[in-house]
Amino acid sequence: MPAQTEDQGGADGPGHPGGLRPAHGPQGPPVWQSSQPGSIYDYIRVASFSLGPDGRIDQWSERAAQMLGIPARYAVGKDPVEAFVPRELRETGRRKVTEILDGREWTGLVPYRRDPDGDTDGLAEIYVMPSETENGERAAVCLVVDVRALRGIETDLAASQAVFGQSPMGFTLFGTDLKLLRVNERFATVFGGPAGKYRGRTPHDFLPRPEAERMAAALRRVLDTGEPVTEMQLVGTVPGEEDRRRWSVSLYRLHGASGRPIGVAALAADVTGRRRAEREAANARRNLALLNEAGARIGNSLDLETTARTLLDVAVPQFCDLASVDLYQGLLAGDEAPPGMSDGSAELRRVAFASAVSDAPLATSPCCVPEGGSPDGAVPVGAVHRYPFNSPCAGALRTGQAQIIPGRESDDRQELGAVVHSTLAVPMVARDTVVGLVQFSRTKGSEPFGERDTALAVELAARAAVCIDNARLYRREHERALILQRSLLPPGDPEAAGLDIACRYLPGNTATEVGGDWFDVIELPGHRTALVVGDVMGRGLRAAVAMGELRTAVRTLALLDLEPAEVLSALDEIARGLGGSGDGRSTARAPRSLTGAAAKVTEHRAPAHAADLSEVYLATCVYAVYDPVTRRCTFANAGHLPPLLVEEGEDALLLDVPPGMPLGVGGEPFEEIEVDLPDGALLALYTDGLVESRDHPLEEGLRAFRQALSDADRPLEDACDHVLSALDTSHGEDDIALLMARVHGLPKDAVGDWSLAPEARSVARARELARDQLTDWGLQELVDTTELLVSELVTNALRHGHGEIRLRLLLDRTLVCEVWDADLAQPRRRRARDTDEGGRGLQLVGLLSTGWGSRRTPRGKTVWFELALPDGESAATDPTEALLSLF
């Protein structure tokens, strides 16, 4: 038998006898080979039988038995009309059979029964062909087709044609040789030309080479394995269009009726629009995520540099490859509108830079190279620069509109600026004011900035701009608040006669460092010292303003040399006026530390609808005046915690000072007590933030404070630090003020005290006593001036007063002279006319002394003056010249 070629598939045709078909060998003529199952006859189910000359069935094929359901034993030898045709159609059937046996062909539909005894339940299409026997007798060969199978094939063909021809997707059929057998009109419309021209083509004929190779490999894999491929993405161009398109291709293997692979079907859908929509949706999700992250992270700090760096942390590398932030230098310095700000030429400072491609600063665009910068245009963080007037960056600052700047192109050297192909210069606008510029840049390989990116960049810059402007305003207000706070507190090392002073102030709000607690050390006449500690209700700047008003009032009242109780009474009236609700009534509430009757009275006087503005003027205060000569301290309290006293070798003791009512409540008098303070004693005045918090009650805090003071046998500054470290001072709930004083008094040899009779010769006696005392102190330079001024004050006491006169000289950092008499009338300085013979005494006192004044005493008044001690450099005022200057 001749050699057979490999089976290439296909169906047997009707002219291939014996199931053989012609095949072409490599070099010889066609040969015959057996066909694999799966021909068209498997689909249409053709059967055959024959009629003999007598009109009866003489042959019955196995296919006929299978299709009609009648075994050969029931069919052979039977009259087909009697056996299979219904009774009412038998007459017609016999006539047709007679005609066939007469040599006529016939084709028609014949109903049949599945078995001889059954009912009609089938319809067959029969093709009858006359034949002859070997004896020349008439016979017939009949081909039978199941009509239902034919109708199914017709329906399937029509459905396949509809799907194939009318599908909105590209539909192709590849043969087993991976060549196109058929394409639908949609495929031909996309790639151009009639559908027929693609027959026999391969993927290389309509796809780019890399994509065609991917497609061919996938087709071969599907044909070999039978595993389908879904959603394979292919990219190419359509004839007549420049834009690249994207297709989604699904492949599956086709099989014949017998299961033999006969090719591969491919469904291709143009997903360019869907892909674009997915990319836009992904970009939108990314942008929303960026905005969400920006909203969560930007603005958590009130530091300018931190806010700028946070913006760049959000943007790089999620949005761009590198970015920088420039802020106007003038705004950072506190100017509202620095010169050149309106036209974008003002100086800027680089406050932040971030990059996903390099750690070194770099220039992003050659048209925005800063003036006076490095040759490559790079600006380091912290550098001050300005952009040229006609540059896009200056234009963005000038117009407040974002601008897309193309990157530089450079072939002569490899520099990072050459790979930056797109930059967004976005002005940072806050409250209609441009505060700076942020630049976002993308390098080659990233998509250039588009409209959506510009909108996102503007939103990011706007959010950061508001936060940066808030930080700038906070920094400015913080600096002003610090200036206010520091101006209202005494200097770090206050000095007082007979006292060593140490003080500490810890604001409850470390962000603003301002609050309502205050302390003060006020020098009074006679080397006396007023010690004040107060606590205004509330915190922050408003409490600090209220504290400043009250502190100023305290200083003014103290300089009037009033008694401590009188000072608090006057201060209470002032506080009521400041914190009144408009009808003269206080609307404040009591501090937490008030207990007992004070708190009840305060709450009774405070309506429930108290306004915040009035609450800040409710304050507690303790006022003490220390006399270093008598070593006696007079205390008055306005609802404040009592002072603590520690004598050498003793435990700390809370002084029993009447608590009084807080300032601003009014209606209650203040009491005062006098306490003798021995040398070496330690006095502590404080606010409730030191001893009270939510973590422990007031009594526990006071007990810890007393214990810390009892252990404070060390230098005064160290004692202050020891107290703050021993107590809980980091709770941040309230301000803390601590004023500590160690008593040592004035030595006896630094005081001269004499009583004088109310007679004229006491004037000379007073001059003599003053001269002798200053000589003993070694102050001969002050003798003449002191004698003259003492003479004036004693003369005035004799002339305008009555009763015994007392003269006292005090030596400490200055020389103080006091003259006491029993008259209550205060001296009044007036300007004498040229013709007046007197009236110039107090003028002379004012000219020659560094300060003078008078104060009331329980039994009269005291007039005093003060002289600076000679320092060996500046000469004292000549009394003669001072006298002549009065005329």
Side-chain angles (χ1 to χ4, degrees):
M1 186 174 181
Q4 297 180 354
T5 61
E6 182 181 356
D7 178 25
Q8 299 295 319
D12 295 336
H16 300 163
L20 300 177
R21 65 174 185 172
H24 297 276
Q27 297 177 348
V31 296
W32 299 92
Q33 69 174 14
S34 297
S35 173
Q36 295 181 0
S39 68
I40 187 66
Y41 300 107
D42 293 329
Y43 291 97
I44 62 176
R45 301 183 65 189
V46 179
S48 66
F49 65 91
S50 63
L51 299 177
D54 58 356
R56 294 182 179 273
I57 300 173
D58 60 0
Q59 288 186 356
W60 187 258
S61 67
E62 293 183 0
R63 178 68 65 86
Q66 294 173 0
M67 183 177 70
L68 299 178
I70 301 174
R73 66 178 179 274
Y74 292 116
V76 176
K78 296 290 183 68
D79 181 356
V81 175
E82 292 291 338
F84 309 120
V85 177
R87 189 181 304 276
E88 64 273 11
L89 298 178
R90 288 177 181 175
E91 185 64 30
T92 303
R94 291 190 182 97
R95 187 170 58 251
K96 293 297 182 183
V97 171
T98 301
E99 293 176 354
I100 292 170
L101 295 177
D102 289 340
R104 296 177 60 183
E105 293 185 358
W106 181 81
T107 302
L109 296 177
V110 177
Y112 65 91
R113 290 192 295 266
R114 285 283 183 179
D115 56 71
D117 300 327
D119 297 329
T120 301
D121 62 356
L123 186 65
E125 183 177 78
I126 301 179
Y127 176 38
V128 182
M129 297 174 291
S131 65
E132 291 183 359
T133 65
E134 59 183 5
N135 298 325
E137 294 177 320
R138 291 285 183 179
V141 176
C142 303
L143 296 179
V144 183
V145 178
D146 190 348
V147 173
R148 291 175 299 176
L150 288 176
R151 297 296 180 266
I153 292 175
E154 291 175 355
T155 302
D156 292 343
L157 288 175
S160 299
Q161 182 63 29
V163 172
F164 194 85
Q166 301 174 20
S167 173
M169 297 184 294
F171 205 159
T172 64
L173 295 179
F174 289 88
T176 55
D177 57 356
L178 303 185
K179 292 183 179 180
L180 285 170
L181 298 176
R182 187 177 181 186
V183 302
N184 67 348
E185 292 297 329
R186 175 60 180 167
F187 182 91
T189 300
V190 170
F191 289 97
K197 87 169 190 177
Y198 289 97
R199 186 181 300 274
R201 300 288 182 91
T202 66
H204 290 82
D205 296 321
F206 54 88
L207 287 175
R209 182 173 180 178
E211 298 295 88
E213 292 177 352
R214 288 182 57 225
M215 180 72 171
L219 287 170
R220 191 172 296 106
R221 186 169 61 254
V222 172
L223 187 61
D224 292 343
T225 64
E227 296 180 0
V229 172
T230 58
E231 299 291 333
M232 183 176 68
Q233 301 292 313
L234 297 177
V235 179
T237 57
V238 174
E241 297 184 10
E242 296 181 357
D243 295 339
R244 300 173 63 189
R245 304 187 71 81
R246 183 182 294 270
W247 296 278
S248 176
V249 179
S250 296
L251 306 175
Y252 58 93
R253 191 170 69 180
L254 297 176
H255 302 85
S258 63
R260 178 174 56 89
I262 61 174
V264 178
L267 287 174
D270 189 340
V271 295
T272 305
R274 186 179 72 185
R275 179 68 175 177
R276 184 181 300 113
E278 290 175 352
R279 186 167 57 250
E280 292 180 355
N283 290 338
R285 288 193 296 270
R286 182 202 64 183
N287 294 349
L288 288 175
L290 277 176
L291 289 177
N292 183 57
E293 184 180 3
R297 296 180 59 184
I298 298 176
N300 292 332
S301 172
L302 287 176
D303 180 73
L304 289 170
E305 290 76 9
T306 301
T307 303
R309 286 194 299 269
T310 303
L311 168 62
L312 301 191
D313 291 341
V314 171
V316 179
Q318 293 91 336
F319 177 68
C320 61
D321 298 315
L322 57 151
S324 62
V325 176
D326 299 324
L327 299 179
Y328 276 119
Q329 176 70 6
L331 292 179
L332 296 177
D335 299 337
E336 292 297 330
M341 180 174 169
S342 59
D343 59 14
S345 63
E347 288 186 336
L348 297 110
R349 179 159 62 90
R350 178 68 51 88
V351 296
F353 171 80
S355 173
V357 295
S358 174
D359 294 333
L362 52 95
T364 57
S365 175
C367 54
C368 277
V369 175
E371 295 178 352
S374 59
D376 59 358
V379 178
V381 174
V384 177
H385 62 281
R386 68 175 77 236
Y387 292 108
F389 180 80
N390 294 324
S391 65
C393 291
L397 291 168
R398 184 165 52 250
T399 62
Q401 301 295 324
Q403 296 196 25
I404 298 180
I405 307 171
R408 68 175 68 184
E409 295 292 340
S410 176
D411 298 328
D412 56 348
R413 60 174 178 168
Q414 293 294 327
E415 56 180 340
L416 188 58
V419 301
V420 174
H421 72 100
S422 185
T423 297
L424 265 174
V426 185
M428 307 182 73
V429 184
R431 302 175 181 89
D432 298 327
T433 300
V434 178
V435 298
L437 182 77
V438 57
Q439 296 184 66
F440 304 102
S441 298
R442 288 179 179 173
T443 58
K444 292 181 179 179
S446 301
E447 294 185 2
F449 290 110
E451 294 183 2
R452 191 184 299 274
D453 294 322
T454 304
L456 175 62
V458 170
E459 179 66 21
L460 288 175
R463 293 192 180 196
V466 172
C467 297
I468 286 177
D469 194 50
N470 288 341
R472 179 182 67 86
L473 295 176
Y474 163 77
R475 177 178 291 183
R476 185 184 66 184
E477 296 304 320
H478 184 219
E479 290 175 353
R480 293 178 178 178
L482 286 180
I483 293 173
L484 171 64
Q485 182 76 37
R486 291 164 183 167
S487 66
L488 295 178
L489 294 176
D493 298 317
E495 296 181 353
L499 294 174
D500 293 331
I501 303 292
C503 51
R504 297 290 187 272
Y505 174 78
L506 300 177
N509 186 353
T510 57
T512 60
E513 298 186 18
V514 295
D517 289 12
W518 90 93
F519 61 90
D520 208 346
V521 179
I522 307 171
E523 294 188 51
L524 300 178
H527 286 315
R528 294 171 303 134
T529 302
L531 304 176
V532 188
V533 168
D535 184 0
V536 176
M537 174 69 67
R539 297 168 61 181
L541 187 59
R542 295 180 62 193
V545 171
M547 176 268 286
E549 293 175 320
L550 294 179
R551 177 179 180 272
T552 301
V554 170
R555 276 192 161 265
T556 302
L557 296 170
L559 293 178
L560 295 177
D561 211 355
L562 302 178
E563 296 297 325
E566 293 177 324
V567 170
L568 293 185
S569 296
L571 193 62
D572 178 55
E573 293 295 329
I574 294 173
R576 293 179 64 194
L578 293 175
S581 60
D583 56 1
R585 295 176 298 174
S586 173
T587 58
R589 56 183 174 85
R592 288 185 302 154
S593 57
L594 292 182
T595 57
K600 292 181 181 179
V601 174
T602 303
E603 295 296 338
H604 175 72
R605 294 176 178 272
H609 60 275
D612 290 341
L613 183 62
S614 61
E615 288 183 1
V616 299
Y617 292 110
L618 183 66
T620 62
C621 179
V622 60
Y623 185 90
V625 175
Y626 173 67
D627 188 342
V629 178
T630 62
R631 292 169 173 76
R632 182 172 298 162
C633 190
T634 305
F635 294 92
N637 192 358
H640 202 80
L641 294 173
L644 266 74
L645 178 64
V646 184
E647 298 185 14
E648 291 189 37
E650 302 291 338
D651 293 335
L653 175 67
L654 281 172
L655 294 179
D656 188 14
V657 178
M661 299 303 301
L663 301 175
V665 175
E668 298 292 333
F670 295 97
E671 301 179 36
E672 59 185 41
I673 64 168
E674 291 184 348
V675 179
D676 292 330
L677 304 180
D679 286 349
L682 182 64
L683 180 67
L685 284 70
Y686 54 97
T687 56
D688 58 354
L690 181 66
V691 295
E692 183 178 23
S693 73
R694 293 184 177 90
D695 297 332
H696 56 76
L698 176 62
E699 291 75 12
E700 181 180 336
L702 286 173
R703 184 165 54 251
F705 186 25
R706 293 174 58 189
Q707 180 63 38
L709 281 179
S710 299
D711 299 337
D713 187 14
R714 61 193 74 194
L716 196 58
E717 293 291 337
D718 295 342
C720 268
D721 295 336
H722 172 72
V723 168
L724 294 181
S725 62
L727 275 66
D728 178 20
T729 58
S730 60
H731 50 74
E733 298 174 11
D734 198 1
D735 307 324
I736 295 175
L738 174 63
L739 178 62
M740 297 176 63
R742 194 178 298 278
V743 178
H744 53 73
L746 286 181
K748 293 183 178 180
D749 57 2
V751 178
D753 195 352
W754 306 274
S755 296
L756 302 174
E759 54 189 16
R761 62 180 182 178
S762 294
V763 176
R765 176 60 178 165
R767 288 198 298 268
E768 180 183 356
L769 293 172
R771 181 174 60 251
D772 293 341
Q773 186 63 68
L774 264 62
T775 301
D776 291 341
W777 287 339
L779 299 176
Q780 288 81 359
E781 297 181 24
L782 301 180
V783 169
D784 293 340
T785 303
T786 304
E787 284 188 5
L788 178 60
L789 299 185
V790 166
S791 177
E792 288 294 333
L793 295 186
V794 173
T795 300
N796 287 340
L798 291 172
R799 182 177 299 174
H800 304 291
H802 58 82
E804 185 181 46
I805 299 172
R806 182 180 175 189
L807 172 64
R808 189 167 73 169
L809 294 177
L810 305 175
L811 177 62
D812 192 68
R813 290 170 297 136
T814 61
L815 175 66
V816 174
C817 175
E818 298 176 331
V819 176
W820 308 47
D821 64 67
D823 187 64
L824 295 176
Q826 298 294 313
R828 182 171 59 89
R829 181 177 177 179
R830 65 183 181 86
R831 182 173 296 277
R833 295 189 296 269
D834 294 342
T835 58
D836 291 344
E837 295 182 359
R840 297 180 177 85
L842 293 180
Q843 286 183 266
L844 183 62
V845 173
L847 283 173
L848 295 178
S849 65
T850 56
W852 76 279
S854 66
R855 67 178 185 273
R856 291 178 298 171
T857 64
R859 294 182 298 274
K861 68 175 181 297
T862 300
V863 182
W864 59 271
F865 67 84
E866 186 175 5
L867 295 176
L869 300 181
D871 54 8
E873 297 180 1
S874 57
T877 304
D878 187 359
T880 305
E881 294 182 359
L883 285 171
L884 294 176
S885 67
L886 298 179
F887 296 91

